[in-house]
Amino acid sequence: SIPLPGLFPAIKHHNQWLVDGGLVNPVPISVCRALGADIVIAVNLNGGLAGKNFINPKKPSQQDNGITHKLSELAMEYSGSLFSSTKDQEPTPSLFESIAGSVHIIQDRITRSRMAGDPPDILLSPNVSDIGLLEFYRARDAISEGEKCVLAILPEIKKMLEMA
C-alpha cells in the first residue's frame, strides 16, 4: 500500500474513484474493531518520518532499471528544471521528495489524532524512517527492523493474548 496521490492512479469502482485508504486512516484501528477484532495489534510506519531530514538514500547493490528507478530519475529531472542550485549549496529536495515528505507529515498527524481517540491494544513502531518511499530493494532491511520491533515487545504481546 502506498498512499501517494498521483504516483499510482485512482481506481474506478461502482462509479466512485478510489485511492489508498491510508490517506484518511493510515493505521485502521477503528476498522479492525468494527470488523469484530478482540485485540488490535497495530503497526505504525509513520513514526519518525515527519521530521526526517532529506538524505541521499542508500544505493542498490546492483543497477536498478525498474519502475522505481525510472520514477526517481523522472522526479529528480523534473525538480531540477524547476529549481536551480549552485554546487556550493546543499542539494534541493526533489519534487518527489517534497511531495512524499508532505504526505508523511499529513499521515503522521492523522495517525496521532486517530490513535488518541481509539488506541490499539498493542502498538508496533518499527524504525524505517531511513528507508525511502520507493526503495523497494531495501525490503530485507524493513523486514529485519519489523522483526526486531516484534521481538522487543513479544512479552507484552504474549501477555495480552493470554488475557484474551
Side-chain angles (χ1 to χ4, degrees), residues 79-157:
S79 66
S81 68
L82 292 176
F83 308 106
S84 62
S85 65
T86 64
K87 291 181 181 180
D88 295 341
Q89 293 178 331
E90 261 186 73
T92 303
S94 70
L95 177 65
F96 181 75
E97 288 172 321
S98 296
I99 292 170
S102 298
V103 170
H104 287 315
I105 291 168
I106 293 166
Q107 281 190 319
D108 181 58
R109 298 310 183 261
I110 292 169
T111 298
R112 289 178 195 214
S113 175
R114 293 189 72 107
M115 283 198 300
D118 189 11
D121 299 297
I122 295 175
L123 178 63
L124 300 171
S125 296
N127 182 6
V128 292
S129 63
D130 68 323
I131 299 175
L133 190 61
L134 294 178
E135 293 180 324
F136 299 116
Y137 58 88
R138 295 196 56 208
R140 287 183 201 266
D141 295 338
I143 292 167
S144 175
E145 184 56 38
E147 289 172 344
K148 286 183 211 171
C149 188
V150 169
L151 289 174
I153 199 166
L154 193 56
E156 187 179 337
I157 294 171

Side-chain angles (χ1 to χ4, degrees), residues 68-82:
T68 58
H69 175 72
K70 288 182 182 5
L71 286 170
S72 294
E73 220 173 53
L74 180 64
M76 287 190 293
E77 182 180 314
Y78 179 72
S79 66
S81 68
L82 292 176

Side-chain angles (χ1 to χ4, degrees), residues 10-18:
I11 303 295
K12 192 167 189 173
H13 181 71
H14 296 293
N15 292 325
Q16 290 185 325
W17 286 101
L18 306 175

Side-chain angles (χ1 to χ4, degrees), residues 31-51:
V31 175
C32 294
R33 294 198 196 287
L35 291 172
D38 294 323
I39 297 172
V40 176
I41 300 174
V43 180
N44 180 13
L45 299 176
N46 298 315
L49 290 175

